[in-house]
Amino acid sequence: MRETRRVARVVGVCAAALTVALATSGAAQAADGVLFIDRAPIHDPSGCYPLGDFAPSAVANFADETAFVWSGPHCDGRVTGFVLPGQAVHPAPGMSLFIQ
């Protein structure tokens, strides 16, 4: 029982460190290309963008980086999906999208 808690704690710390690394690594450079969220173009996107509150947003990723869909409104919570370069989807569930 004690060992299980220790392993769970280590896994949690590693997951938190990975999340911080992904979130902060995008500050240095933006993705090249265009990201469309509900048909609105975002040139050379970088950072966190809100998605629709009630209906799934339409996302088209024509940038050179993968975009990650987050369950929370400010790219917090957990990753619920992703949008690969060249892919157009209606990511659900998700309240925000992060791209480097």
Side-chain angles (χ1 to χ4, degrees):
M1 182 72 130
R2 202 170 184 187
E3 187 67 27
T4 303
R5 287 183 183 158
R6 184 180 306 162
V7 170
R9 187 179 315 136
V10 169
V11 169
V13 169
C14 290
L18 178 63
T19 300
V20 169
L22 285 174
T24 58
S25 65
Q29 68 184 37
D32 290 326
V34 182
L35 178 72
F36 290 88
I37 299 177
D38 294 329
R39 297 186 212 155
I42 302 166
H43 296 276
D44 298 331
S46 177
C48 185
Y49 299 94
L51 296 177
D53 290 333
F54 302 106
S57 292
V59 176
N61 184 1
F62 296 107
D64 62 351
E65 297 286 338
T66 299
F68 294 91
V69 180
W70 287 83
S71 62
H74 304 288
C75 293
D76 56 3
R78 62 184 177 85
V79 174
T80 60
F82 53 88
V83 185
L84 297 172
Q87 190 177 32
V89 298
H90 292 274
M95 295 184 67
S96 56
L97 183 123
F98 179 83
I99 188 167
Q100 290 189 356

